[in-house]
Amino acid sequence: EVELVQSGPEVKKPGEALRISCEASGYSFSRYWIGWVRQMPGKGLEWMGSIYPYDSDVRYSPSFQGHITISADKSSSTAYLHWSTLEASDTAMYFCARHVYCNDGVCHTTDNWGQGTLVTVSS
Amino acid sequence: QSVLTQPPSVSAAPGQRVTISCSGISYTIGNDFVSWYQQFPGTAPTLLIYDTYKRPSGIPDRFSGSRSGTSATLRITGLQTGDGADYYCGIWDAGRGAVFGGGTKLTVL
């Protein structure tokens, strides 16, 4: 059974750094793209970027490029989302999700999602 | 603002049928990668439909998908009170990556 388990909620101050995680199990982690999706309070889903753990190929949404870093550790089957400098506007729920039926970074769909990590940034 | 447009809300009574549209899709040959997701408050989305009309195992056939021109449609028949949720369409664009619609809140009256 495919499972994505995310790290717990975080409360941070503006300007602080943060890394949240997503541990995968039940499938070959290296061979599937895994992405991050933001959902701000009361709002819709926004794709942030995805990584192919096999070769660490990363694709970012232009809206998030430069503000986040996505990485993966094949040895622990874990994907990460990192901010070096948080802003209050980063307050949101963040989901990791597995993409399937992919070819050269273009994927058909996203079939499994983590439970979400709530990040609150407030002074 | 999403590039995929969905109605903010739809409603219908139990047992009835409802459709949710998703417009603004730029199809290319061989690209029918429209997905639909269901999300209950406080939980992660779940995949309902992929490749425009395919259902993952475990999704009842009350849920179906279709497309016409630059729009896709999610149809739910035999509405149940438990279907009340937010529904999102999504595509994968070679230039922009994954793109989601703004979401539609379904109320089962």
Side-chain angles (χ1 to χ4, degrees):
Chain A
E1 177 191 4
V2 174
E3 194 171 16
L4 301 174
V5 178
Q6 298 184 226
S7 50
E10 301 275 1
V11 179
K12 306 294 275 186
K13 290 182 167 53
E16 292 185 334
L18 174 65
R19 187 180 76 168
I20 62 175
S21 66
C22 170
E23 183 175 359
S25 61
Y27 73 98
S28 179
F29 176 73
S30 294
R31 297 295 190 169
Y32 288 81
W33 285 83
I34 188 164
W36 289 93
V37 174
R38 182 176 78 174
Q39 188 167 38
M40 300 178 77
K43 302 299 184 182
L45 306 173
E46 301 172 90
W47 176 71
M48 303 174 73
S50 302
I51 187 168
Y52 188 57
Y54 180 78
D55 59 7
S56 295
D57 186 5
V58 183
R59 312 287 173 94
Y60 291 102
S61 163
S63 299
F64 293 91
Q65 177 105 41
H67 186 53
I68 59 166
T69 302
I70 293 172
S71 61
D73 178 359
K74 289 182 287 188
S75 67
S76 62
S77 298
T78 302
Y80 298 97
L81 176 61
H82 176 257
W83 295 262
S84 57
T85 307
L86 284 163
E87 303 171 359
S89 59
D90 292 317
T91 295
M93 180 72 80
Y94 294 87
F95 297 101
C96 63
R98 187 182 79 158
H99 307 310
V100 291
Y101 313 127
C102 301
N103 183 17
D104 194 24
V106 178
C107 303
H108 285 227
T109 192
T110 302
D111 69 344
N112 282 274
W113 297 67
Q115 83 277 17
T117 296
L118 180 62
V119 174
T120 303
V121 184
S122 174
S123 54
Chain B
Q1 185 174 356
S2 175
V3 296
L4 299 181
T5 302
Q6 298 181 233
S9 63
V10 296
S11 61
Q16 291 191 331
R17 180 190 74 187
V18 70
T19 60
I20 298 173
S21 63
C22 174
S23 63
I25 299 171
S26 298
Y27 286 97
T28 58
I29 294 174
N31 180 351
D32 268 355
F33 306 157
V34 181
S35 298
W36 289 91
Y37 305 90
Q38 178 189 59
Q39 185 182 33
F40 296 103
T43 68
T46 57
L47 180 63
L48 283 179
I49 299 288
Y50 68 100
D51 287 359
T52 302
Y53 62 89
K54 297 176 182 178
R55 283 187 306 275
S57 61
I59 301 300
D61 59 8
R62 299 189 300 107
F63 296 90
S64 63
S66 64
R67 78 166 176 95
S68 177
T70 58
S71 293
T73 299
L74 174 69
R75 174 178 297 187
I76 310 172
T77 58
L79 268 177
Q80 302 175 1
T81 54
D83 294 332
D86 293 327
Y87 293 83
Y88 294 90
C89 62
I91 61 170
W92 199 285
D93 182 279
R96 293 175 294 181
V99 179
F100 295 99
T104 298
K105 182 179 179 62
L106 169 62
T107 301
V108 182
L109 302 170

